[in-house]
């Protein structure tokens, strides 16, 4: 697990809420504290699409909504003259990104057995990004966790998001 601080909060928020940089991340949850607390559970209710005609029982649906589908809602809750009291977003990489990290780790593990996470939290005037890794199976091997901890800083750098180590 690593934690980094967004160096330029305004620039980071612009990239998070108006660019496509994070669009392929999946949202487990979003909590935004303004005049009320707004909580979004990103878990997709697959029954909602049951009688849609667009989806059949064979159509694979994601477990969580993509950030691209929720960011405009979050943007509407955050924008304005007043800074939110706090917010927290729990993201997971999309399948392609997850496969890239697992491939870099060089382990032969079922992608369904590992959960990679990125928490983005605004609190006390700071935006802190924290990585996390959990397994559905028992493993003492930290190779995947290390690969994820290396991937996120390089992803942020490629995206021109300046960070510094959080102490």
């Amino acid at each position: 697990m690593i934690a980094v601080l967004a160096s330029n909060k305004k620039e980071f928020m612009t990239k998070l809420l108006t660019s496509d940089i994070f669009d392929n991340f999946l949202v487990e949850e979003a909590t935004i504290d303004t005049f009320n607390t707004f909580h979004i559970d990103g878990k997709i209710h697959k029954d909602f699409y049951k009688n849609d005609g667009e989806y059949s029982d064979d159509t694979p649906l994601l477990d969580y909504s993509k950030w691209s589908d929720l960011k405009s809602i979050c943007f509407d809750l955050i924008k304005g003259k007043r800074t939110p009291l706090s917010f927290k977003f729990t993201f997971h990489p999309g399948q392609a990104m997850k496969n890239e990290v697992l491939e870099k780790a060089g382990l032969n593990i079922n992608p369904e057995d590992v959960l990679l996470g990125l928490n983005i939290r605004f609190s006390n005037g700071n935006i802190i990004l924290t990585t996390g890794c959990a397994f559905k199976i028992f493993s003492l091997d930290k190779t995947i966790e290390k690969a994820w901890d290396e991937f996120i800083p390089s992803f942020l750098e490629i995206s021109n998001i300046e960070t510094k180590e959080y102490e």
Side-chain angles (χ1 to χ4, degrees):
M1 180 184 91
I2 61 164
V4 295
L5 195 64
S7 300
N8 185 328
K9 292 179 281 203
K10 185 174 180 165
E11 184 179 310
F12 177 82
M13 291 305 297
T14 298
K15 290 184 178 186
L16 177 67
L17 296 171
T18 64
S19 77
D20 62 356
I21 292 171
F22 292 93
D23 279 2
N24 289 321
F25 279 88
L26 306 177
V27 181
E28 181 177 338
E29 69 175 328
T31 302
I32 301 167
D33 292 321
T34 58
F35 62 93
N36 289 118
T37 297
F38 298 91
H39 181 81
I40 299 171
D41 180 351
K43 184 97 170 131
I44 293 176
H45 297 287
K46 296 178 182 179
D47 287 347
F48 179 77
Y49 297 101
K50 205 173 219 172
N51 298 322
D52 196 327
E54 194 174 323
Y55 296 97
S56 69
D57 289 338
D58 298 339
T59 304
L61 287 174
L62 298 171
D63 289 332
Y64 298 106
S65 293
K66 285 187 174 185
W67 176 243
S68 60
D69 296 329
L70 297 177
K71 75 178 173 184
S72 63
I73 296 166
C74 294
F75 178 76
D76 285 342
L77 293 171
I78 291 173
K79 73 179 179 184
K81 295 178 186 175
R82 295 188 179 110
T83 302
L85 298 172
S86 66
F87 62 72
K88 180 183 175 192
F89 301 113
T90 302
F91 287 171
H92 300 290
Q95 196 60 50
M97 186 183 292
K98 185 177 185 179
N99 289 342
E100 182 181 337
V101 172
L102 293 177
E103 186 176 304
K104 183 179 180 187
L107 292 176
N108 189 13
I109 189 168
N110 182 348
E112 301 302 315
D113 289 335
V114 65
L115 185 65
L116 302 173
L118 175 65
N119 290 312
I120 301 171
R121 182 172 44 99
F122 173 70
S123 178
N124 299 321
N126 293 313
I127 299 173
I128 303 158
L129 293 86
T130 309
T131 60
C133 179
F135 291 92
K136 293 180 182 177
I137 58 171
F138 179 76
S139 176
L140 292 173
D141 193 333
K142 300 288 185 194
T143 308
I144 294 171
E145 183 176 345
K146 288 176 185 172
W148 182 235
D149 289 350
E150 291 171 5
F151 179 86
I152 288 299
S154 66
F155 168 80
L156 295 171
E157 186 178 332
I158 289 167
S159 303
N160 294 313
I161 296 174
E162 294 179 31
T163 61
K164 56 186 175 184
E165 192 174 324
Y166 179 69
E167 301 171 6

